Amino acid sequence: MVKKLALLFMLSSFVAIGQTKKKPTLESYTSRKGIYELKYNPANWIKNEETTGWDAEFHDKYNLINAYFIEYDYFITEKNLKSTIEEQYKEFGTIANLKIAKKKINDLTVNYYTCELDYNDYLYKYQGFFYSGKGGSIQLQYGAQAEAIEPNQGIIDELNNGLVVIPN
């Protein structure tokens, strides 16, 4: 009986160990002014070493979704949000279904937007946010073909929630 109990205890211990989830090891990107930190899971997001006008660029592990981060040296007012977003996409076409709403990310109230763009007969969806804080405004933006956004919303939210203000 004692041997059976010991065996049962040992088997349950192995099952318990197998069921514990390892917390992912996060990497971080610190903004160029040292005001913001973006913590990300390298199993879901890969930081590109070279950028094309953004401060930092990432893509998901399947290279379907691109994420872009920039820290502006000025403030983007709520009045100028729509024109700023339209300006970013003008060389690719006209955006449609632009929606901007207030949203809480961590303790920050941001102007979150979603929009669509028909480019070379492919429908792309973009989303992201602007936040005006210490030192100017920041933007974090995601873009992908429409089919990739919804199934990957969880990792988009994960990266959004990785943004923190570095305490003084």
Side-chain angles (χ1 to χ4, degrees):
M1 179 72 170
V2 172
K3 287 183 181 180
K4 286 183 181 178
L5 284 174
L7 180 62
L8 182 62
F9 176 75
M10 197 166 77
L11 287 174
S12 65
S13 296
F14 287 130
V15 170
I17 290 170
Q19 290 180 347
T20 58
K21 289 186 178 181
K22 280 180 66 177
K23 198 171 191 179
T25 303
L26 299 179
E27 293 186 14
S28 65
Y29 163 77
T30 302
S31 67
R32 62 184 165 81
K33 292 181 182 179
I35 299 172
Y36 302 96
E37 183 177 44
L38 189 57
K39 297 177 183 180
Y40 62 96
N41 181 349
N44 293 332
W45 291 101
I46 298 156
K47 185 177 178 300
N48 298 344
E49 293 307 315
E50 295 180 25
T51 63
T52 57
W54 295 82
D55 293 343
E57 295 181 21
F58 302 85
H59 62 83
D60 71 312
K61 65 182 177 181
Y62 302 111
N63 209 15
L64 294 173
I65 302 173
N66 292 307
Y68 306 95
F69 177 88
I70 193 164
E71 189 173 29
Y72 297 103
D73 294 330
Y74 51 89
F75 294 97
I76 299 172
T77 64
E78 288 187 32
K79 179 180 152 189
N80 293 329
L81 282 175
K82 183 177 179 185
S83 61
T84 299
I85 295 167
E86 289 171 342
E87 179 71 22
Q88 288 179 339
Y89 298 106
K90 76 177 183 181
E91 68 182 84
F92 304 109
T94 304
I95 61 170
N97 301 321
L98 175 61
K99 295 177 182 132
I100 303 171
K102 297 277 187 202
K103 183 176 180 179
K104 273 280 213 205
I105 296 179
N106 295 330
D107 289 329
L108 308 175
T109 301
V110 303
N111 290 301
Y112 207 91
Y113 67 90
T114 59
C115 62
E116 297 175 348
L117 175 70
D118 187 358
Y119 181 70
N120 288 338
D121 295 326
Y122 291 102
L123 180 62
Y124 287 86
K125 287 191 175 183
Y126 292 89
Q127 64 178 274
F129 62 86
F130 287 89
Y131 174 73
S132 291
K134 185 176 168 184
S137 293
I138 61 167
Q139 179 183 10
L140 183 57
Q141 169 185 289
Y142 304 89
Q145 282 185 278
E147 298 83 4
I149 292 290
E150 192 173 315
N152 292 295
Q153 189 64 49
I155 65 168
I156 291 171
D157 294 340
E158 172 191 88
L159 190 57
N160 282 342
N161 291 324
L163 181 70
V164 294
V165 177
I166 298 172
N168 291 340

